[in-house]
């Protein structure tokens, strides 16, 4: 145009990325500046529990004008006191026996020691000046029901709650539930029929989230979280996340359609559900799972290798935005091919009207 620039429309966009083994300040700078140039405004970055690595990455993010969300898995731990781990319906502690995969060593969310450990860890990271948000992940129970697309991978049919993956039946949880409701959950043949028991466990997660959130807010920092889609359709039923009751500042639902054997339009349906449940309390950034090796997608057996191909990106972004999302988040920027970036950049530079 002859006179001045056309105002650019651009929707907010984020990425989730974990730190690799060969990361240096130089590789971070190369990655973050590239992602920023492709339209990412912020990064949810997983450097585990390593405070110094978060510090290094947060500085690079800031130098590139990006918001930094320190992404830290919450309930998964290997080396804590064996008495504070979650216990399944068969009486097995997650410390000794795990559902699905060996890293599923989930802590019990009802233990004071677990709260103390987590708030101290998240607090240390929140104290880093360049950290804008701490980002909860795995702040939940073990998946008592797995996403439909994962059944074949683990050789399971999960039409009902799966006792091996149904937590927490530790002495403290069973006894606290009895005190609160008068119900002895161990007397049930089918505990999944007890609505109070499901609610009790959702409340344990909500209380833990809100206690840590209060502590982070007291430090002048914000909290975001990766959550299951829903909350009602999946998150509450699968992992006890009643996330509309959380007091955090931003939500990143993992709207990974391929995990649920759904197409990209489905992302719009679950986005609308979450936005409606929050009723304006906090923004929702719709999490999109990217298929890196997309030209071979049909021959990849593992559904965790599936995800959006370039031609589906626009539909997923549009469905998110037209159903009230504040923006989108990519899992992961490293999985994005040039073809993905091309369709993504087109999609994030359009204006959308929320229905
Ligand atoms: Zn417990």
């Amino acid at each position: 145009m002859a006179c001045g620039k056309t105002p650019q429309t651009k929707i907010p966009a984020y990425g989730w990325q974990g730190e690799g083994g060969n990361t240096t300040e130089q590789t971070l700078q190369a990655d973050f500046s590239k992602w920023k140039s492709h339209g990412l405004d912020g990064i949810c970055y997983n450097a585990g529990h390593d405070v110094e690595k978060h510090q290094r990455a947060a500085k690079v993010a800031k130098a590139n004008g990006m918001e930094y969300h320190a992404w830290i898995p919450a309930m998964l731990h290997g080396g804590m006191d064996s008495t504070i781990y979650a216990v399944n319906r068969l009486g097995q502690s997650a410390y000794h026996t795990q559902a699905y995969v060996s890293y599923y060593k989930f802590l019990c969310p009802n233990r004071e020691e677990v709260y103390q450990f987590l708030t101290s860890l998240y607090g240390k990271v929140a104290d880093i000046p360049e950290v804008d948000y701490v980002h909860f992940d795995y702040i939940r129970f073990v998946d008592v029901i797995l996403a439909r697309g994962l059944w074949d991978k683990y050789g399971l049919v999960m039409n009902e709650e799966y006792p091996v993956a149904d937590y927490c039946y530790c002495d403290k949880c069973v006894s606290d539930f009895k005190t609160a409701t008068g119900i002895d959950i161990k007397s049930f043949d089918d505990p999944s029929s007890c609505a109070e028991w499901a609610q009790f466990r959702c409340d344990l997660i909500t209380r833990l989230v809100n206690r840590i959130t209060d502590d982070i807010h007291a430090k002048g920092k914000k909290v975001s979280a990766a959550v299951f889609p829903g909350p009602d359709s999946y998150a509450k039923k699968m992992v006890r996340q009643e996330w509309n009751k959380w007091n955090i500042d931003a939500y990143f639902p993992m709207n990974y359609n391929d995990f649920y054997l759904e197409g990209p339009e489905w992302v719009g349906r679950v986005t609308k559900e979450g936005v409606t449940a929050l009723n304006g309390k906090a923004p929702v950034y719709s999490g999109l799972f990217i298929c890196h090796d997309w030209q071979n997608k049909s021959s990849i057996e593992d559904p965790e290798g599936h995800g959006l191909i370039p031609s589906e990106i626009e539909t997923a972004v549009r469905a998110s935005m037209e159903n009230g999302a504040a923006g989108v988040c990519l899992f992961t920027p490293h999985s994005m091919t040039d073809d993905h970036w091309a369709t993504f950049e087109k999609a994030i530079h359009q204006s959308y009207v929320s229905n």
Side-chain angles (χ1 to χ4, degrees), residues 17 20 23 61 71 82 100 109 112 137 141 149 168 171 173 185 188 217 232 287 339 350:
Q17 189 68 57
T23 303
W71 165 19
S82 64
Y100 314 119
E112 189 63 17
D137 187 23
F141 279 83
C168 179
D171 292 345
C173 286
I185 196 59
F188 278 67
H217 283 165
D232 286 335
D339 294 289
Q350 294 179 36

Side-chain angles (χ1 to χ4, degrees), residues 139-210:
I139 197 141
R140 61 174 178 87
F141 279 83
V142 168
D143 332 43
V144 66
I145 296 174
L146 275 184
R148 179 64 188 87
L150 303 179
W151 292 6
D152 289 347
K153 176 177 177 179
Y154 294 103
L156 297 167
V157 175
M158 303 193 78
N159 294 320
E160 56 189 5
E161 295 191 0
Y162 186 54
V164 174
D166 183 21
Y167 294 82
C168 179
Y169 293 79
C170 80
D171 292 345
K172 178 160 168 52
C173 286
V174 169
S175 140
D176 286 359
F177 181 60
K178 179 95 191 288
T179 306
T181 62
I183 299 169
D184 175 11
I185 196 59
K186 290 206 160 175
S187 71
F188 278 67
D189 288 332
D190 175 17
S192 71
S193 67
C194 181
E196 294 92 337
W197 180 227
Q199 186 62 48
F200 175 80
R201 290 175 292 172
C202 285
D203 291 345
L204 289 181
I205 298 294
T206 297
R207 196 175 68 205
L208 180 67
V209 165
N210 287 343

Side-chain angles (χ1 to χ4, degrees), residues 13-177:
Y14 293 83
W16 276 294
Q17 189 68 57
E19 177 149 314
N22 301 319
T23 303
T24 64
E25 209 175 312
Q26 288 70 35
T27 64
L28 285 169
Q29 172 56 31
D31 285 342
F32 287 9
S33 60
K34 176 182 171 188
W35 301 336
K36 172 78 178 176
S37 75
H38 284 307
L40 299 196
D41 305 287
I43 188 77
C44 304
Y45 193 76
N46 186 354
H49 296 172
D50 192 321
V51 177
E52 284 176 13
K53 284 184 178 171
H54 276 295
Q55 187 155 28
R56 177 174 72 175
K59 276 191 180 151
V60 178
K62 289 285 112 179
N64 286 279
M66 298 172 88
E67 202 170 88
Y68 189 84
H69 294 236
W71 165 19
I72 307 174
M75 303 306 284
L76 282 183
H77 288 282
M80 312 244 326
D81 186 299
S82 64
T83 61
I84 60 169
Y85 284 79
V87 173
N88 69 15
R89 203 197 300 171
L90 306 178
Q92 299 165 323
S93 163
Y95 182 78
H96 299 291
T97 308
Q98 298 82 36
Y100 314 119
V101 280
S102 59
Y103 64 81
Y104 254 35
K105 294 186 174 177
F106 273 69
L107 299 167
C108 169
N110 193 24
R111 296 286 176 160
E112 189 63 17
E113 300 93 322
V114 171
Y115 158 71
Q116 290 294 348
F117 169 74
L118 290 175
T119 206
S120 157
L121 173 64
Y122 282 98
K124 275 183 213 140
V125 173
D127 284 336
I128 299 168
E130 293 84 0
V131 167
D132 300 296
Y133 287 71
V134 296
H135 187 76
F136 296 156
D137 187 23
Y138 283 101
I139 197 141
R140 61 174 178 87
F141 279 83
V142 168
D143 332 43
V144 66
I145 296 174
L146 275 184
R148 179 64 188 87
L150 303 179
W151 292 6
D152 289 347
K153 176 177 177 179
Y154 294 103
L156 297 167
V157 175
M158 303 193 78
N159 294 320
E160 56 189 5
E161 295 191 0
Y162 186 54
V164 174
D166 183 21
Y167 294 82
C168 179
Y169 293 79
C170 80
D171 292 345
K172 178 160 168 52
C173 286
V174 169
S175 140
D176 286 359
F177 181 60

Side-chain angles (χ1 to χ4, degrees), residues 259-290:
F259 285 32
Y260 300 87
L261 305 182
E262 300 278 359
E265 311 78 18
W266 172 91
V267 172
R269 297 211 303 272
V270 283
T271 298
K272 191 177 198 71
E273 184 191 344
V275 168
T276 305
L278 288 172
N279 195 23
K281 192 162 98 166
V284 171
Y285 298 95
S286 178
L288 308 178
F289 193 93
I290 304 301

